[in-house]
Amino acid sequence: MLAANCETTPTEDSDDDSDGDEYKQQLYGNLARELARVFHCLSTDSTTVNPSSLLGANTGEGRVYINRHISVPIVPLVAEESSLQTHETELHPYHTLLFPKLTPSEILQDLQNEHVESAISINPNSLSIIRILRQVLPITHPRRSLNEVAFDAGIPLPYVMNAAFWLIKSKLCVAAMPVLRRNRYICVENVIPKIQSLQLAFWQEFGLKCRNHKFLWGNSSPPHIFVVISALTTTCSTQEEKKLVSSDPLTLGDAISSSGTGNEEIVYSMAQWLVARRIIVEMN
């Protein structure tokens, strides 16, 4: 049977049967007492009391010892839920993370550096986030929501949300709806000047990647950014009883198919690139 190590020293306000006699007693096998302390710690308002102090920890983590040799860390949430709601960027469990500048692999490589931990060791909360990101980033994908990532990583969703918010606040990624083949996309308002400013960046990103691809869009490889956006957002037309009927834009899957064979991954990357820069958004 598991037992917890708990040392108690009553104070003047203690309610016991010792008639005020001071004593110091080492208790063993009192798992219920230790779990009660953990419960009260986690249920206490963190804005008024530091949970770590209730658990007798000197760092940013609480720690419970089972059988006097099994150490169980209790890591506090590093950001309050209200901060996710009041920040200009909304973040929800059904969102995914897109990385406009560095890829998750590049960010992960930086986080593996020991100098990163030493640089932020004075902030235990940030250190906890770094450790969570090392587990989360390898399985992050534009198709997967934060809820799915948290489930697969075996990490509670609030911890993953806080780590994601840290990335967004650091301007390393943006939150967006998962980029799925069934999605339909439209351009944002006043998009023309923004597209013009991204023409060179688009070519630099996909120029070499597309040199061995043949597209049915336009006459160049890679297709011009305007051509790609048009293909992803153009409404599909069907002919019914000799009448041309316009409907919603093509799904991303249909747009990929219309680009030609062997272009699935590169066109998906283009769509992801455009979504990350707020050029196109999913049609509600």
Side-chain angles (χ1 to χ4, degrees):
M1 181 177 180
L2 294 177
N5 178 9
C6 176
E7 179 178 322
T8 61
T9 304
T11 62
E12 296 178 359
D13 297 330
S14 299
D15 186 10
D16 56 84
D17 299 330
S18 62
D19 296 329
D21 294 338
E22 295 183 357
Y23 68 95
K24 186 174 183 180
Q25 184 178 3
Q26 187 80 11
L27 299 178
Y28 298 100
N30 202 335
L31 181 59
R33 183 189 296 273
E34 194 70 27
L35 292 178
R37 295 177 63 200
V38 175
F39 173 79
H40 289 300
C41 162
L42 298 179
S43 61
T44 302
D45 184 3
S46 60
T47 60
T48 58
V49 181
N50 183 358
S52 300
S53 63
L54 293 178
L55 289 174
N58 294 323
T59 64
E61 298 180 353
R63 195 168 296 275
V64 176
Y65 293 91
I66 306 296
N67 271 350
R68 292 185 292 167
H69 67 277
I70 302 177
S71 176
V72 181
I74 306 296
V75 183
L77 292 179
V78 296
E80 298 179 5
E81 184 178 357
S82 58
S83 63
L84 301 179
Q85 298 174 351
T86 57
H87 193 267
E88 60 180 4
T89 302
E90 293 186 2
L91 182 64
H92 299 283
Y94 51 78
H95 280 147
T96 189
L97 299 179
L98 301 180
F99 299 82
K101 299 178 181 178
L102 299 176
T103 65
S105 299
E106 291 172 334
I107 297 175
L108 182 63
Q109 185 176 1
D110 291 338
L111 295 180
Q112 299 290 1
N113 192 335
E114 295 181 357
H115 296 291
V116 174
E117 285 196 6
S118 60
I120 63 173
S121 59
I122 58 174
N123 188 343
N125 288 339
S126 297
L127 192 57
S128 298
I129 289 178
I130 297 301
R131 292 169 179 169
I132 292 173
L133 288 176
R134 287 175 177 171
Q135 302 179 61
V136 168
L137 285 175
I139 59 176
T140 299
H141 193 277
R143 296 186 180 93
R144 310 179 72 188
S145 67
L146 293 174
N147 194 30
E148 294 172 319
V149 170
F151 179 82
D152 291 342
I155 301 174
L157 179 60
Y159 292 85
V160 175
M161 294 283 289
N162 286 322
F165 180 71
W166 184 86
L167 287 173
I168 294 173
K169 190 176 180 180
S170 302
K171 300 186 183 304
L172 294 173
C173 70
V174 296
M177 296 297 295
V179 183
L180 306 174
R181 290 179 62 91
R182 65 172 182 267
N183 292 358
R184 301 176 190 271
Y185 290 98
I186 57 176
C187 291
V188 299
E189 295 183 0
N190 303 319
V191 72
I192 299 300
K194 194 170 184 179
I195 295 177
Q196 292 173 338
S197 67
L198 291 174
Q199 292 181 69
L200 178 59
F202 183 84
W203 188 89
Q204 290 173 335
E205 178 69 23
F206 297 105
L208 292 177
K209 295 179 181 178
C210 294
R211 59 185 176 182
N212 295 324
H213 292 263
K214 294 183 179 181
F215 292 87
L216 301 180
W217 303 337
N219 299 318
S220 62
S221 182
H224 194 277
I225 185 173
F226 279 100
V227 175
V228 175
I229 294 173
S230 176
L232 295 176
T233 60
T234 299
T235 58
C236 56
S237 300
T238 59
Q239 192 169 1
E240 296 180 359
E241 297 181 357
K242 298 182 180 181
K243 293 182 180 179
L244 198 62
V245 180
S246 295
S247 59
D248 293 333
L250 292 169
T251 64
L252 176 58
D254 291 336
I256 289 174
S257 299
S258 69
S259 68
T261 58
N263 297 328
E264 179 173 350
E265 290 300 324
I266 192 68
V267 175
Y268 180 85
S269 297
M270 291 177 178
Q272 172 193 334
W273 193 90
L274 294 169
V275 173
R277 286 155 182 80
R278 300 290 192 265
I279 300 295
I280 60 176
V281 293
E282 183 184 2
M283 187 180 70
N284 296 325

